[in-house]
């Protein structure tokens, strides 16, 4: 979960590398480093903390050059420190940056130490530098050295390497971690994702699993895992440079919350134009959907909670058995094989290591029907799946996911209704009703955003709390889980979520005046049951914060704070009810003064297991 940038050009690449790192900082921010080939040889600068510190140090050291690699780190092996920061250097100043985990680093370290290599860090990455050098010293060809070294590496990696004795060459490789090339005019780049390169190019080449790229000023060559030279397609990125800019907002999370009406609208645009058509998911979807007799959803974190919502929808509307599985658990337990199960993976980045591994495990068990719900079209999970539905959220930089979640819900609802229609479980009247509900959704989301001042008022009361409890029932229980996750992620307040009916089975013991209880109270069939549960909280002196629909007749009174949402939006209510919880977490974090976009110990794109 680190960020890599590399560049070779006829101009000074240091500003390009540092700007790229700044844009990748959401991937890791405990240390950063840069290695550049200058007129006086290789110059390396490393700093603990943010990219801003590295930029200052690079200016002080007057680092300039036409070839360089850079890295921002989220620590796995070795504590955050300058000695563990990338790039790592071997003999002859061979320099390496790396994202991922090398699982056999201990055996490689022992082997390399026996050859005389001295290790100066606690990282798994340093073995890559020495291993590549061990091959390079035989032929003095960096490209061949990397291609000979990578089969020895077990685990996941994206790497970039340079050496001063080959001053017009940048070598990179990937397996299990994302890496792409940026194509310019007599200049070329490498990065962990497109956002880092948007200031210099929109032409991108996505490396495939096992690829090694040999890059110079005039072009590049790509070798596949079998060491055959291959051609990879050049894509024109749909992202604009402005998507990575804050604009008038204080934080990317705030910006991304505000972008949700637009993002939802973009995600459902094709559905609104064409209805619930199976080919929205791929050319073979019509045939596959007719044969599906169950659905298994694989995801992690926020995406898993989207899957939990979809489970309610799929069983209710499509009338298919559905399970939602934490991806990191699924692949390590025995499961029942069913070739007619549709495996649905959900991932914002499409590179989530646990989800990708779970998908591959499912496929190895004979589950050939797979569909990805994803925000990145060229990502590993999309490429590994038979079908795909892209969420059009645009770039999401804040670590705490917001617009990715609501667009995932919009995509999953589209999938649900399409499955129902494919199986003959949907009347034309129901289809029209669901399409109209989707059409209203962006405007309804904007209406909810207008409640922000009231939610900010709640946040003032949360800032001095140590714990919080979120409650929901039915399809809104996963929304309580998501609200709890958001609060703990960025405010560091311990928060838990429960189905409201479970209160009396344990959580009620925690309730007192110092523990706010947030209830999601839509005007649905479970409302009266929920009101009874909330009376249990009030009777024990608990402070209630209720998100109620405008027509649900909740009354504000001492100890009960109520924010009224729009009128109940039926089956799509979860999409709207999560937005106030995002805002509550954001404003509580503001009150506490935490780092909203870069919460401690977390990174955005989880590319390690």
């Amino acid at each position: 979960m680190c960020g890599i940038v590399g560049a070779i050009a006829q101009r000074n690449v240091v500003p390009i590398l540092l700007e790229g790192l700044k844009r990748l900082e959401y991937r890791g921010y405990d240390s950063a480093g840069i290695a550049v080939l200058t007129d006086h040889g290789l110059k390396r600068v490393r700093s603990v903390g943010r990219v801003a510190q590295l930029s200052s140090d690079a200016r002080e050291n007057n680092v300039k050059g036409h070839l360089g690699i850079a890295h921002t780190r989220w620590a796995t092996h070795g504590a955050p420190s300058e000695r563990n920061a990338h790039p790592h250097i071997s003999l002859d100043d061979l320099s390496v940056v790396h994202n991922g985990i090398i699982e056999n680093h201990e055996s490689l370290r022992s082997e390399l130490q026996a050859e005389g290599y001295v290790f100066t860090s606690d990282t798994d990455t340093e073995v890559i530098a020495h291993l590549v050098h061990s091959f390079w010293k035989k032929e003095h060809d960096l490209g061949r050295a990397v291609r000979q070294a990578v089969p020895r590496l077990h685990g996941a990696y994206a790497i970039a390497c340079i050496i001063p004795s080959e001053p017009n060459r940048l070598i990179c490789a990937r397996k299990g971690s994302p890496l792409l090339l940026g194509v310019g005019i007599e200049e070329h780049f490498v990065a962990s994702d497109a956002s880092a390169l948007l200031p210099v190019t929109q032409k991108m080449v996505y490396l495939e699993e096992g690829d090694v790229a040999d890059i110079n000023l005039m072009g590049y060559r790509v070798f596949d895992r079998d060491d055959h030279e291959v051609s990879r397609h050049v894509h024109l990125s749909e992202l604009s440079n402005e998507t990575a800019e804050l604009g008038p907002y204080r934080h990317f999370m705030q910006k991304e919350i505000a972008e949700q009406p637009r993002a939802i609208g973009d995600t459902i645009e094709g559905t609104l134009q064409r209805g619930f058509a199976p080919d929205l998911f791929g050319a073979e979807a019509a045939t596959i959907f007719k044969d599906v007799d169950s659905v298994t959803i694989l995801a992690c974190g926020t995406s898993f909670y989207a899957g939990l919502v979809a489970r309610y929808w799929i069983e209710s509307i499509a009338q298919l058995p559905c399970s939602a599985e934490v991806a990191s658990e699924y692949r390590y337990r025995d499961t029942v094989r069913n070739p007619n199960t549709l495996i649905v993976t959900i991932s914002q980045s499409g590179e989530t290591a646990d989800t990708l591994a779970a998908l591959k495990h499912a496929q190895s068990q004979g589950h050939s029907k797979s569909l990805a719900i994803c925000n990145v079209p060229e990502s590993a999970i999309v490429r590994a799946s038979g079908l795909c539905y892209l969420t059009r959220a645009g770039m999401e930089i804040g670590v705490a996911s917001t617009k990715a979640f609501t667009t995932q819900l919009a995509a999953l609802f589209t999938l649900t209704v399409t499955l129902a229609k494919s199986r003959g479980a949907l009347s034309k009247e129901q289809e029209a009703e669901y399409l109209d509900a989707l059409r209203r959704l962006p405007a309804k989301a904007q209406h909810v955003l207008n409640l922000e001042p009231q939610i900010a008022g709640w946040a003032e009361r949360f800032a001095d709390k140590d714990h919080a409890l979120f409650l929901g029932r039915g399809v809104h229980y996963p929304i309580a889980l998501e609200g709890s996750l958001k609060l703990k992620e960025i405010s560091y307040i311990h928060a838990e979520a429960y189905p409201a009916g479970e209160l009396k089975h344990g959580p009620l013991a925690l309730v007192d005046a110092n523990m706010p209880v947030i209830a999601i109270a839509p005007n649905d069939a479970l409302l009266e049951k929920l009101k009874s549960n909330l009376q249990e909280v009030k009777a024990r002196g608990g402070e209630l914060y209720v998100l109620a629909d405008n027509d649900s007749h909740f009354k504000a009174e001492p100890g009960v704070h109520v924010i009224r949402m729009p009128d109940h939006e039926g089956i799509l209510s979860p999409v709207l009810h999560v937005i106030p919880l995002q805002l509550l977490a954001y404003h509580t974090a503001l009150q506490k003064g935490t780092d909203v976009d870069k919460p401690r110990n977390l990174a955005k794109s989880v590319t390690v297991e």
Side-chain angles (χ1 to χ4, degrees), residues 221-240:
R221 301 167 69 195
V222 179
F223 299 84
D224 66 15
R225 69 178 74 198
D226 297 319
D227 205 24
H228 298 143
E229 188 168 352
V230 293
S231 176
R232 299 294 184 220
H233 182 64
V234 178
H235 298 263
L236 188 65
S237 175
E238 297 178 4
L239 298 173
S240 68

Side-chain angles (χ1 to χ4, degrees), residues 87-140:
H88 289 285
I89 293 181
S90 186
L91 301 177
D92 297 296
D93 282 341
L94 190 151
S95 302
V96 172
V97 291
H98 164 231
N99 179 23
I101 290 179
I102 305 303
E103 295 172 354
N104 61 331
H105 71 98
E106 291 180 346
S107 60
L108 288 173
R109 179 183 286 252
S110 298
E111 176 184 323
L112 291 161
Q113 285 174 328
E115 292 182 26
Y117 287 97
V118 176
F119 285 76
T120 60
S121 78
D122 305 314
T123 69
D124 56 334
T125 300
E126 194 176 359
V127 303
I128 303 174
H130 295 319
L131 182 65
V132 171
H133 184 270
S134 72
F135 287 102
W136 179 86
K137 68 183 180 182
K138 299 172 185 176
E139 300 184 45
H140 293 262

Side-chain angles (χ1 to χ4, degrees), residues 479-501:
I479 300 304
L481 287 166
E482 173 63 8
S484 167
L485 178 62
K486 286 292 155 288
L487 188 67
K488 71 183 75 166
E489 275 183 313
I490 63 170
S491 76
Y492 315 144
I493 293 173
H494 169 244
E496 295 189 52
Y498 280 89

